[in-house]
Amino acid sequence: MISKELLKYKYGKLIEQPIEEFIKEATFIQTQFKDTNLNVDRPLLIYGNNNRNACVYSLGVNYSILNKKVLDYTIITAPHFINQHFLSEEHRDMELYQNMYYTDLLFITISQLDYKHQYLESLLIDLIETRLTSNKLTHIYFETNGSKKNNASYMTLFNYLTNKQLALDITATTKPSSFSKPTQKASKETTTKGGVKFF
Amino acid sequence: MKITIPNIIISALNTNDIKYVDNKLRDIESQLLLNEVEKRIIHDIDENINLGELPSVSFIRQKYSYAFLDDILEISLESDAIDSAINNIRIEQARTSLKLNLMELGNNIDKLPPNELKAQISALTENKLLSGKEEDYTNHMVTSENAYADSIYDGEGMTLGLHQIEEYAGKALPSTVVTILAFAGSFKSTYALQLAYLNAMEGKNMLYLSLESTATQLRTKMVLNHIATTTDKSEELINGKWIIDQTLKPELQKVYNNYYNDLMVKLNNRIILWDEEDIQYDTFLDMTEVLRRADKQFKKETGRGLDGVILDQLALLKNTRAGGRKYTYDGAVLNDWMTYFRKQALNFLDTGKEINVFVVSQINRDSYTEASKPKKRGMYDMTAASDSNEIERASATMITLYKDLTADNTLLINIPKARNGYTPDSPIQTEVYGEYSHIGPLKVNLNSFDETTFDLEDLING
């Protein structure tokens, strides 16, 4: 039996204010998690909307209960990861770096606003695969920022993950939007010379 | 050259090794027949050994020169010849004894009936000189009617405090040493004190030797732990800091007093708590005297002797004289102390009784740094003990404690050695409340948590 108190101590730091909103968000995500019937042994792509902490809380607690052990977790952003990667060992945050490889649950936040670097995708895929060989899970939290999902930036990564299992969509957030949505424009597709579409 | 018992004693004294001399005197007493002077010499030396010293050879020579002719006491053997000399005298004494017995039998042969004659002749053949054999040794590898009953321990071992630990290591059986290892400030003493408390509550007589904290401090912690273990009301939990800062509110002072007396009644004299003011522990003889005193006190107060000793902590014995031989480094002293306690566990005060010994020891800094890395996460291995190599060998069970820095109130426990069990793949997670001197869940928190239908709101708010 897992200790409720140990779960609280481990994941309590993720709780945000106002607490009622956080509870609603985390409960909503837990429901989505259960309803989607996910494979808990495979990495997961999560579409989120400003609810990363609630997502980590909910998934972390659920995975801990499934494993009958309070699982450690680490959260890192993709740009920070690649910045760390290119630093020499003396400048690198070794504890964070080691955590990325050895922690029980790793959550990597990516966003369409990130500076896109092709090498980053292969680094992320390599990290996920390396961790998978040690039966450690890595989840990618894609921050949609309230706008439509654009996975064009990370097509390779997303295809890799959705090939493992279906993505979890938790963008139907219960929270009111914290910033105003862009006004509707007439749909007008434009392309670059390279043929990449923009909304 | 005729070797006598005083020569052997003088030769042993010349080694200047208290432990060696003590052992040889015991050998001499058990194997040889002694006259009054020889007994007196041994008695003199024993009295000095009790004070942690050896008398000088010249003192013994001068004091007892009246009893010996010529310069017998001037003869001294080399140390590797002493055992042979003892055997030599034993054989001589056996010959003399046989000679006397044969002469007596010869004188009585006309007076004794046949069956009595037969019995006396048979007794003569038991003389070690004639029988020519050593004592029979027990053969353990034989068939048995109930091998299972022979194999199990008749009784219950001591608790290790948490059921998760016992799932891997089992209970602590008598005749074993359990070592508790942790880095500085990682709840070693809290755990050791909790073991004393829990085992005493189960009826075991526990001696707690604290070389670091005072008995008063430990007694206070025990009361706080007793409250944390037994109360259902969170408002009764007392933070140790309030006592140290003398800010404990009057109503909580009453609570403290009530639980204090409740604890003393329930313990019923089954814990003796001595700090360094109460004991001498410079030598093995000092420690033996401490154990003897505790055993006597338990017998007087509970009707039964000592069952377990907790030493907190081993490192503080490094500046003692221990066995009296020359030590070139601290580890050697501590190795000898571990051997001493292991022997006490196996054969307490040479009475044949088996007891439990718990030794608190320190983790070295390198092992702590290694265990703090994400890859290891609280997993110490057997080489983590800083104080003594003998810890790994002498311990039946090693339990390591690591305070999880990534979560509040979380302790990671590993069992790198479990002679009667097995080691876990990953550390055991448990709660720790230093402010209440308690390891494990608090009774106030033992509400049901159904893992299948739990509510996140309850977890976040509860």
Side-chain angles (χ1 to χ4, degrees), chain B residues 89-113:
Chain B
I89 294 180
R90 195 154 62 100
I91 291 167
E92 273 181 27
Q93 288 185 345
R95 280 189 193 283
T96 307
S97 164
L98 184 61
K99 211 188 298 182
L100 289 170
N101 290 337
L102 279 168
M103 278 171 58
E104 195 182 327
L105 181 61
N107 290 337
N108 291 331
I109 207 159
D110 294 327
K111 299 170 200 168
L112 292 171

PDB file of all heavy atoms in Angstrom, chain B residues 89-113:
ATOM      1  N   ILE B  89      52.953 -28.803  30.583  1.00  0.00           N
ATOM      2  CA  ILE B  89      52.638 -28.905  32.013  1.00  0.00           C
ATOM      3  C   ILE B  89      51.388 -29.749  32.208  1.00  0.00           C
ATOM      4  O   ILE B  89      51.285 -30.534  33.160  1.00  0.00           O
ATOM      5  CB  ILE B  89      52.468 -27.501  32.636  1.00  0.00           C
ATOM      6  CG1 ILE B  89      53.811 -26.777  32.597  1.00  0.00           C
ATOM      7  CG2 ILE B  89      51.918 -27.592  34.050  1.00  0.00           C
ATOM      8  CD1 ILE B  89      53.785 -25.374  33.176  1.00  0.00           C
ATOM      9  N   ARG B  90      50.432 -29.609  31.284  1.00  0.00           N
ATOM     10  CA  ARG B  90      49.194 -30.396  31.380  1.00  0.00           C
ATOM     11  C   ARG B  90      49.515 -31.878  31.323  1.00  0.00           C
ATOM     12  O   ARG B  90      48.964 -32.690  32.071  1.00  0.00           O
ATOM     13  CB  ARG B  90      48.269 -30.001  30.233  1.00  0.00           C
ATOM     14  CG  ARG B  90      46.837 -30.445  30.390  1.00  0.00           C
ATOM     15  CD  ARG B  90      45.912 -29.521  29.623  1.00  0.00           C
ATOM     16  NE  ARG B  90      46.217 -29.578  28.198  1.00  0.00           N
ATOM     17  CZ  ARG B  90      45.506 -30.296  27.319  1.00  0.00           C
ATOM     18  NH1 ARG B  90      44.487 -30.997  27.733  1.00  0.00           N
ATOM     19  NH2 ARG B  90      45.838 -30.291  26.054  1.00  0.00           N
ATOM     20  N   ILE B  91      50.423 -32.243  30.422  1.00  0.00           N
ATOM     21  CA  ILE B  91      50.809 -33.651  30.273  1.00  0.00           C
ATOM     22  C   ILE B  91      51.525 -34.121  31.542  1.00  0.00           C
ATOM     23  O   ILE B  91      51.258 -35.214  32.050  1.00  0.00           O
ATOM     24  CB  ILE B  91      51.704 -33.832  29.028  1.00  0.00           C
ATOM     25  CG1 ILE B  91      50.866 -33.615  27.763  1.00  0.00           C
ATOM     26  CG2 ILE B  91      52.339 -35.214  29.004  1.00  0.00           C
ATOM     27  CD1 ILE B  91      51.680 -33.470  26.492  1.00  0.00           C
ATOM     28  N   GLU B  92      52.408 -33.264  32.052  1.00  0.00           N
ATOM     29  CA  GLU B  92      53.136 -33.629  33.277  1.00  0.00           C
ATOM     30  C   GLU B  92      52.179 -33.846  34.424  1.00  0.00           C
ATOM     31  O   GLU B  92      52.315 -34.801  35.202  1.00  0.00           O
ATOM     32  CB  GLU B  92      54.094 -32.504  33.661  1.00  0.00           C
ATOM     33  CG  GLU B  92      55.446 -32.604  32.998  1.00  0.00           C
ATOM     34  CD  GLU B  92      56.353 -31.463  33.432  1.00  0.00           C
ATOM     35  OE1 GLU B  92      56.163 -30.929  34.552  1.00  0.00           O
ATOM     36  OE2 GLU B  92      57.237 -31.095  32.644  1.00  0.00           O
ATOM     37  N   GLN B  93      51.204 -32.950  34.544  1.00  0.00           N
ATOM     38  CA  GLN B  93      50.236 -33.068  35.637  1.00  0.00           C
ATOM     39  C   GLN B  93      49.376 -34.319  35.450  1.00  0.00           C
ATOM     40  O   GLN B  93      49.022 -34.990  36.428  1.00  0.00           O
ATOM     41  CB  GLN B  93      49.350 -31.812  35.711  1.00  0.00           C
ATOM     42  CG  GLN B  93      50.082 -30.586  36.226  1.00  0.00           C
ATOM     43  CD  GLN B  93      49.178 -29.368  36.404  1.00  0.00           C
ATOM     44  OE1 GLN B  93      48.065 -29.333  35.892  1.00  0.00           O
ATOM     45  NE2 GLN B  93      49.663 -28.372  37.140  1.00  0.00           N
ATOM     46  N   ALA B  94      49.053 -34.640  34.193  1.00  0.00           N
ATOM     47  CA  ALA B  94      48.266 -35.855  33.931  1.00  0.00           C
ATOM     48  C   ALA B  94      49.080 -37.089  34.347  1.00  0.00           C
ATOM     49  O   ALA B  94      48.551 -38.036  34.930  1.00  0.00           O
ATOM     50  CB  ALA B  94      47.873 -35.920  32.466  1.00  0.00           C
ATOM     51  N   ARG B  95      50.374 -37.080  34.045  1.00  0.00           N
ATOM     52  CA  ARG B  95      51.257 -38.205  34.432  1.00  0.00           C
ATOM     53  C   ARG B  95      51.312 -38.339  35.946  1.00  0.00           C
ATOM     54  O   ARG B  95      51.208 -39.434  36.497  1.00  0.00           O
ATOM     55  CB  ARG B  95      52.688 -37.966  33.937  1.00  0.00           C
ATOM     56  CG  ARG B  95      52.931 -38.279  32.502  1.00  0.00           C
ATOM     57  CD  ARG B  95      54.438 -38.202  32.198  1.00  0.00           C
ATOM     58  NE  ARG B  95      54.649 -38.191  30.765  1.00  0.00           N
ATOM     59  CZ  ARG B  95      54.577 -39.268  29.973  1.00  0.00           C
ATOM     60  NH1 ARG B  95      54.312 -40.443  30.473  1.00  0.00           N
ATOM     61  NH2 ARG B  95      54.770 -39.148  28.669  1.00  0.00           N
ATOM     62  N   THR B  96      51.510 -37.195  36.600  1.00  0.00           N
ATOM     63  CA  THR B  96      51.613 -37.208  38.066  1.00  0.00           C
ATOM     64  C   THR B  96      50.324 -37.739  38.665  1.00  0.00           C
ATOM     65  O   THR B  96      50.343 -38.563  39.586  1.00  0.00           O
ATOM     66  CB  THR B  96      51.891 -35.782  38.584  1.00  0.00           C
ATOM     67  OG1 THR B  96      53.029 -35.271  37.902  1.00  0.00           O
ATOM     68  CG2 THR B  96      52.111 -35.772  40.068  1.00  0.00           C
ATOM     69  N   SER B  97      49.192 -37.271  38.108  1.00  0.00           N
ATOM     70  CA  SER B  97      47.885 -37.692  38.610  1.00  0.00           C
ATOM     71  C   SER B  97      47.705 -39.191  38.409  1.00  0.00           C
ATOM     72  O   SER B  97      47.234 -39.906  39.303  1.00  0.00           O
ATOM     73  CB  SER B  97      46.814 -36.886  37.874  1.00  0.00           C
ATOM     74  OG  SER B  97      45.560 -37.468  38.035  1.00  0.00           O
ATOM     75  N   LEU B  98      48.111 -39.696  37.263  1.00  0.00           N
ATOM     76  CA  LEU B  98      47.975 -41.124  36.961  1.00  0.00           C
ATOM     77  C   LEU B  98      48.859 -41.941  37.897  1.00  0.00           C
ATOM     78  O   LEU B  98      48.448 -42.982  38.417  1.00  0.00           O
ATOM     79  CB  LEU B  98      48.373 -41.377  35.500  1.00  0.00           C
ATOM     80  CG  LEU B  98      48.206 -42.818  34.993  1.00  0.00           C
ATOM     81  CD1 LEU B  98      46.761 -43.256  35.084  1.00  0.00           C
ATOM     82  CD2 LEU B  98      48.700 -42.954  33.555  1.00  0.00           C
ATOM     83  N   LYS B  99      50.060 -41.439  38.119  1.00  0.00           N
ATOM     84  CA  LYS B  99      51.010 -42.122  39.013  1.00  0.00           C
ATOM     85  C   LYS B  99      50.412 -42.262  40.395  1.00  0.00           C
ATOM     86  O   LYS B  99      50.426 -43.336  41.001  1.00  0.00           O
ATOM     87  CB  LYS B  99      52.298 -41.285  39.088  1.00  0.00           C
ATOM     88  CG  LYS B  99      53.562 -42.098  39.296  1.00  0.00           C
ATOM     89  CD  LYS B  99      54.772 -41.243  39.546  1.00  0.00           C
ATOM     90  CE  LYS B  99      55.128 -40.335  38.405  1.00  0.00           C
ATOM     91  NZ  LYS B  99      56.356 -39.546  38.654  1.00  0.00           N
ATOM     92  N   LEU B 100      49.842 -41.146  40.887  1.00  0.00           N
ATOM     93  CA  LEU B 100      49.262 -41.159  42.234  1.00  0.00           C
ATOM     94  C   LEU B 100      48.063 -42.099  42.301  1.00  0.00           C
ATOM     95  O   LEU B 100      47.887 -42.844  43.271  1.00  0.00           O
ATOM     96  CB  LEU B 100      48.831 -39.734  42.619  1.00  0.00           C
ATOM     97  CG  LEU B 100      49.972 -38.746  42.890  1.00  0.00           C
ATOM     98  CD1 LEU B 100      49.426 -37.322  43.025  1.00  0.00           C
ATOM     99  CD2 LEU B 100      50.747 -39.127  44.143  1.00  0.00           C
ATOM    100  N   ASN B 101      47.223 -42.045  41.248  1.00  0.00           N
ATOM    101  CA  ASN B 101      46.028 -42.897  41.229  1.00  0.00           C
ATOM    102  C   ASN B 101      46.419 -44.374  41.183  1.00  0.00           C
ATOM    103  O   ASN B 101      45.793 -45.227  41.835  1.00  0.00           O
ATOM    104  CB  ASN B 101      45.140 -42.565  40.031  1.00  0.00           C
ATOM    105  CG  ASN B 101      44.470 -41.201  40.194  1.00  0.00           C
ATOM    106  OD1 ASN B 101      44.330 -40.718  41.317  1.00  0.00           O
ATOM    107  ND2 ASN B 101      44.073 -40.587  39.093  1.00  0.00           N
ATOM    108  N   LEU B 102      47.456 -44.688  40.404  1.00  0.00           N
ATOM    109  CA  LEU B 102      47.907 -46.082  40.290  1.00  0.00           C
ATOM    110  C   LEU B 102      48.469 -46.562  41.628  1.00  0.00           C
ATOM    111  O   LEU B 102      48.208 -47.697  42.045  1.00  0.00           O
ATOM    112  CB  LEU B 102      48.984 -46.202  39.201  1.00  0.00           C
ATOM    113  CG  LEU B 102      48.476 -46.280  37.754  1.00  0.00           C
ATOM    114  CD1 LEU B 102      49.620 -46.104  36.762  1.00  0.00           C
ATOM    115  CD2 LEU B 102      47.735 -47.580  37.499  1.00  0.00           C
ATOM    116  N   MET B 103      49.205 -45.685  42.294  1.00  0.00           N
ATOM    117  CA  MET B 103      49.775 -46.041  43.593  1.00  0.00           C
ATOM    118  C   MET B 103      48.672 -46.298  44.593  1.00  0.00           C
ATOM    119  O   MET B 103      48.726 -47.281  45.359  1.00  0.00           O
ATOM    120  CB  MET B 103      50.689 -44.920  44.085  1.00  0.00           C
ATOM    121  CG  MET B 103      52.083 -44.988  43.479  1.00  0.00           C
ATOM    122  SD  MET B 103      53.101 -43.545  43.832  1.00  0.00           S
ATOM    123  CE  MET B 103      53.130 -43.523  45.606  1.00  0.00           C
ATOM    124  N   GLU B 104      47.637 -45.463  44.548  1.00  0.00           N
ATOM    125  CA  GLU B 104      46.531 -45.614  45.492  1.00  0.00           C
ATOM    126  C   GLU B 104      45.777 -46.907  45.212  1.00  0.00           C
ATOM    127  O   GLU B 104      45.411 -47.643  46.132  1.00  0.00           O
ATOM    128  CB  GLU B 104      45.593 -44.416  45.343  1.00  0.00           C
ATOM    129  CG  GLU B 104      44.613 -44.291  46.505  1.00  0.00           C
ATOM    130  CD  GLU B 104      43.649 -43.130  46.312  1.00  0.00           C
ATOM    131  OE1 GLU B 104      44.039 -42.098  45.723  1.00  0.00           O
ATOM    132  OE2 GLU B 104      42.495 -43.287  46.731  1.00  0.00           O
ATOM    133  N   LEU B 105      45.573 -47.198  43.923  1.00  0.00           N
ATOM    134  CA  LEU B 105      44.877 -48.419  43.540  1.00  0.00           C
ATOM    135  C   LEU B 105      45.688 -49.633  43.991  1.00  0.00           C
ATOM    136  O   LEU B 105      45.137 -50.614  44.519  1.00  0.00           O
ATOM    137  CB  LEU B 105      44.661 -48.434  42.026  1.00  0.00           C
ATOM    138  CG  LEU B 105      43.907 -49.640  41.456  1.00  0.00           C
ATOM    139  CD1 LEU B 105      42.499 -49.711  42.035  1.00  0.00           C
ATOM    140  CD2 LEU B 105      43.836 -49.576  39.935  1.00  0.00           C
ATOM    141  N   GLY B 106      46.982 -49.547  43.769  1.00  0.00           N
ATOM    142  CA  GLY B 106      47.872 -50.642  44.170  1.00  0.00           C
ATOM    143  C   GLY B 106      47.786 -50.911  45.667  1.00  0.00           C
ATOM    144  O   GLY B 106      47.743 -52.052  46.116  1.00  0.00           O
ATOM    145  N   ASN B 107      47.706 -49.818  46.434  1.00  0.00           N
ATOM    146  CA  ASN B 107      47.622 -49.957  47.901  1.00  0.00           C
ATOM    147  C   ASN B 107      46.294 -50.559  48.347  1.00  0.00           C
ATOM    148  O   ASN B 107      46.222 -51.203  49.397  1.00  0.00           O
ATOM    149  CB  ASN B 107      47.791 -48.600  48.583  1.00  0.00           C
ATOM    150  CG  ASN B 107      49.218 -48.098  48.461  1.00  0.00           C
ATOM    151  OD1 ASN B 107      50.152 -48.895  48.276  1.00  0.00           O
ATOM    152  ND2 ASN B 107      49.403 -46.783  48.542  1.00  0.00           N
ATOM    153  N   ASN B 108      45.237 -50.331  47.540  1.00  0.00           N
ATOM    154  CA  ASN B 108      43.889 -50.766  47.947  1.00  0.00           C
ATOM    155  C   ASN B 108      43.435 -52.039  47.269  1.00  0.00           C
ATOM    156  O   ASN B 108      42.290 -52.465  47.439  1.00  0.00           O
ATOM    157  CB  ASN B 108      42.867 -49.665  47.625  1.00  0.00           C
ATOM    158  CG  ASN B 108      43.053 -48.456  48.505  1.00  0.00           C
ATOM    159  OD1 ASN B 108      43.515 -48.581  49.646  1.00  0.00           O
ATOM    160  ND2 ASN B 108      42.735 -47.287  47.981  1.00  0.00           N
ATOM    161  N   ILE B 109      44.272 -52.631  46.475  1.00  0.00           N
ATOM    162  CA  ILE B 109      43.828 -53.711  45.595  1.00  0.00           C
ATOM    163  C   ILE B 109      43.291 -54.907  46.384  1.00  0.00           C
ATOM    164  O   ILE B 109      42.395 -55.616  45.925  1.00  0.00           O
ATOM    165  CB  ILE B 109      44.965 -54.113  44.638  1.00  0.00           C
ATOM    166  CG1 ILE B 109      44.368 -54.704  43.350  1.00  0.00           C
ATOM    167  CG2 ILE B 109      45.950 -55.048  45.291  1.00  0.00           C
ATOM    168  CD1 ILE B 109      45.309 -54.659  42.184  1.00  0.00           C
ATOM    169  N   ASP B 110      43.829 -55.126  47.598  1.00  0.00           N
ATOM    170  CA  ASP B 110      43.341 -56.251  48.397  1.00  0.00           C
ATOM    171  C   ASP B 110      42.013 -55.946  49.053  1.00  0.00           C
ATOM    172  O   ASP B 110      41.296 -56.862  49.456  1.00  0.00           O
ATOM    173  CB  ASP B 110      44.357 -56.602  49.497  1.00  0.00           C
ATOM    174  CG  ASP B 110      45.648 -57.139  48.903  1.00  0.00           C
ATOM    175  OD1 ASP B 110      45.581 -57.800  47.859  1.00  0.00           O
ATOM    176  OD2 ASP B 110      46.727 -56.877  49.483  1.00  0.00           O
ATOM    177  N   LYS B 111      41.705 -54.641  49.179  1.00  0.00           N
ATOM    178  CA  LYS B 111      40.515 -54.270  49.954  1.00  0.00           C
ATOM    179  C   LYS B 111      39.265 -54.100  49.091  1.00  0.00           C
ATOM    180  O   LYS B 111      38.142 -54.162  49.568  1.00  0.00           O
ATOM    181  CB  LYS B 111      40.760 -52.935  50.683  1.00  0.00           C
ATOM    182  CG  LYS B 111      41.912 -52.967  51.667  1.00  0.00           C
ATOM    183  CD  LYS B 111      42.220 -51.534  52.137  1.00  0.00           C
ATOM    184  CE  LYS B 111      43.616 -51.462  52.706  1.00  0.00           C
ATOM    185  NZ  LYS B 111      44.070 -50.090  52.900  1.00  0.00           N
ATOM    186  N   LEU B 112      39.439 -53.884  47.809  1.00  0.00           N
ATOM    187  CA  LEU B 112      38.277 -53.511  46.976  1.00  0.00           C
ATOM    188  C   LEU B 112      37.614 -54.744  46.373  1.00  0.00           C
ATOM    189  O   LEU B 112      38.299 -55.680  45.930  1.00  0.00           O
ATOM    190  CB  LEU B 112      38.720 -52.589  45.841  1.00  0.00           C
ATOM    191  CG  LEU B 112      39.199 -51.207  46.271  1.00  0.00           C
ATOM    192  CD1 LEU B 112      39.815 -50.477  45.081  1.00  0.00           C
ATOM    193  CD2 LEU B 112      38.054 -50.386  46.832  1.00  0.00           C
ATOM    194  N   PRO B 113      36.261 -54.745  46.324  1.00  0.00           N
ATOM    195  CA  PRO B 113      35.562 -55.832  45.640  1.00  0.00           C
ATOM    196  C   PRO B 113      35.818 -55.734  44.130  1.00  0.00           C
ATOM    197  O   PRO B 113      36.196 -54.667  43.624  1.00  0.00           O
ATOM    198  CB  PRO B 113      34.089 -55.585  45.963  1.00  0.00           C
ATOM    199  CG  PRO B 113      34.004 -54.149  46.312  1.00  0.00           C
ATOM    200  CD  PRO B 113      35.316 -53.738  46.862  1.00  0.00           C
TER     201      PRO B 113
END
